[in-house]
Amino acid sequence: MILQTAALDKLNYYWSLEERCMLDESQHSDFVRTALGYSGEKTFVEMVKDYGVVLWDVTLSAPFLGSAQYDVLLITAGKLIHYDIKNFKGQFKFAEGRLVSSYNRHYHNPQHQLERAHAILEALMQQSGYHDKVESYLVFINEHFHVSGAVDSSWLMRGQLHDHLKRYRKSVIQDTQLEVGRLLIDYHHPFDHLNQPLRVPFAEVQPGVRCPECRKLGQIIYKGKIHHECAQCHKVIKITEMLRASLNELFYLKGEPFTYREALEWCGHPSRSTLQRLLNQHFTKAGHTKGATYSLGEKK
């Protein structure tokens, strides 16, 4: 059971920016790194979601120890397990406390980060009166990752996960597991200021509605139409579906609430009644009359 899922604001920004602006090298690298991390975590969460209560992407703090970010926390009967997910690919060696790729790129020993996060989690749970066992593992989720050299027993390769997960039983979630999950969510304080995308000035972003299938921007003739056929992939899609996706992208790319006038221009002047209905149904309104703004909030 997934009690909390990952925050995707950073990825949504980059996904929304595709086709609308050229990314520089640092932005492209940040996008790829973030997308790979998310993909690896998503794959692992799918593997463990039926073995207990899952918290995906939480940041916790313990007195005198500091804070740490946790990719996946699995709460099973009598145990709390932390999994730090790595989506590395290729040939690596582990020597002198470093991971080194075949391209001679050096990475700090991930064991140190794992041990620090484990100490914070264990201390936090003990001060909360939780005395069941806490375990931590590094998971190298990519099946094309290979490492030579002596590694710690807490490192799990993709091929080991089947046997590792066999010790957990798929069973009915217990109230105590939910209590621990909700307690951890109460302690969750994300580092939003440290997890921001490398933004492009909004004025440099190309507006328009894109096909949700092939992700290409295109010209849409709205008058009297309910559906639109993409000129690139020829997929036939409801115009309201395309408009809603485009409005979501406007919010992510602007980085703040937008006005009705901005939405109208961004989408290429669709039907005013259709646009207003979508805004009322799926966005949170603040203010009144011409000064009103819309944001993604509780309504989605």
Side-chain angles (χ1 to χ4, degrees):
M1 172 189 175
I2 303 174
L3 190 61
Q4 175 170 301
T5 192
L8 291 179
D9 287 355
K10 185 175 182 177
L11 264 183
N12 280 327
Y13 175 81
Y14 284 128
W15 283 332
S16 301
L17 197 60
E18 286 185 295
E19 294 289 318
R20 299 183 184 275
C21 185
M22 289 292 293
L23 299 182
D24 63 27
E25 185 176 344
S26 58
Q27 289 167 329
H28 178 73
S29 295
D30 191 43
F31 181 17
V32 170
R33 184 169 53 250
T34 304
L36 277 175
Y38 170 74
S39 174
E41 292 171 18
K42 182 180 179 182
T43 296
F44 185 75
V45 166
E46 285 296 315
M47 297 173 76
V48 301
K49 66 180 182 181
D50 296 324
Y51 290 104
V53 172
V54 174
L55 302 184
W56 180 6
D57 185 18
V58 294
T59 301
L60 306 174
S61 301
F64 310 112
L65 290 173
S67 302
Q69 188 270 334
Y70 298 83
D71 293 337
V72 179
L73 294 175
L74 174 64
I75 306 159
T76 65
K79 193 177 291 187
L80 171 61
I81 310 105
H82 159 222
Y83 294 100
D84 188 359
I85 314 301
K86 304 297 183 186
N87 199 4
F88 296 155
K89 179 181 179 180
Q91 297 287 340
F92 286 73
K93 64 179 179 180
F94 184 65
E96 299 179 359
R98 287 178 177 268
L99 266 178
V100 184
S101 74
S102 58
Y103 299 100
N104 204 36
R105 182 173 180 181
H106 291 239
Y107 298 84
H108 291 298
N109 187 349
Q111 186 68 27
H112 297 160
Q113 179 183 339
L114 184 77
E115 291 172 356
R116 179 178 178 275
H118 178 86
I120 290 172
L121 181 61
E122 199 167 47
L124 185 62
M125 298 314 296
Q126 286 176 356
Q127 79 172 38
S128 302
Y130 177 89
H131 300 295
D132 289 338
K133 190 171 184 181
V134 177
E135 297 179 359
S136 293
Y137 298 94
L138 274 168
V139 176
F140 294 88
I141 193 68
N142 197 306
E143 59 187 8
H144 299 294
F145 171 81
H146 306 282
V147 61
S148 61
V151 299
D152 194 87
S153 59
S154 62
W155 292 26
L156 299 174
M157 308 301 146
R158 178 63 178 265
Q160 297 175 284
L161 291 178
H162 177 73
D163 287 341
H164 173 79
L165 295 175
K166 281 199 302 188
R167 55 181 170 162
Y168 307 135
R169 277 196 256 171
K170 297 180 180 180
S171 58
V172 176
I173 301 297
Q174 301 173 3
D175 288 343
T176 52
Q177 292 168 252
L178 287 170
E179 288 172 8
V180 173
R182 292 178 182 130
L183 171 70
L184 288 167
I185 289 175
D186 286 342
Y187 285 133
H188 172 53
H189 298 289
F191 299 144
D192 289 336
H193 63 293
L194 298 178
N195 195 35
Q196 293 297 312
L198 302 175
R199 288 186 170 270
V200 172
F202 182 65
E204 297 177 14
V205 177
Q206 183 178 349
V209 177
R210 77 163 95 228
C211 170
E213 186 73 15
C214 69
R215 307 287 293 159
K216 298 293 184 183
L217 290 168
Q219 186 70 32
I220 299 179
I221 299 174
Y222 291 110
K223 192 173 182 179
K225 286 192 172 184
I226 297 175
H227 295 86
H228 170 76
E229 180 179 350
C230 176
Q232 298 287 333
C233 68
H234 303 290
K235 179 80 172 180
V236 177
I237 306 151
K238 289 184 70 173
I239 287 177
T240 52
E241 182 182 331
M242 298 178 72
L243 284 173
R244 182 182 173 187
S246 186
L247 291 169
N248 289 352
E249 292 186 353
L250 170 59
F251 176 74
Y252 289 121
L253 292 169
K254 189 165 187 272
E256 59 185 18
F258 56 83
T259 66
Y260 173 84
R261 171 59 60 183
E262 287 174 323
L264 191 68
E265 294 176 355
W266 177 264
C267 295
H269 295 271
S271 160
R272 288 173 176 263
S273 59
T274 299
L275 181 64
Q276 190 64 67
R277 185 171 68 252
L278 287 170
L279 291 172
N280 292 340
Q281 289 176 344
H282 303 293
F283 291 80
T284 300
K285 183 179 180 180
H288 303 283
T289 64
K290 291 183 179 181
T293 59
Y294 298 86
S295 61
L296 280 171
E298 294 182 1
K299 294 181 181 180
K300 289 189 180 179

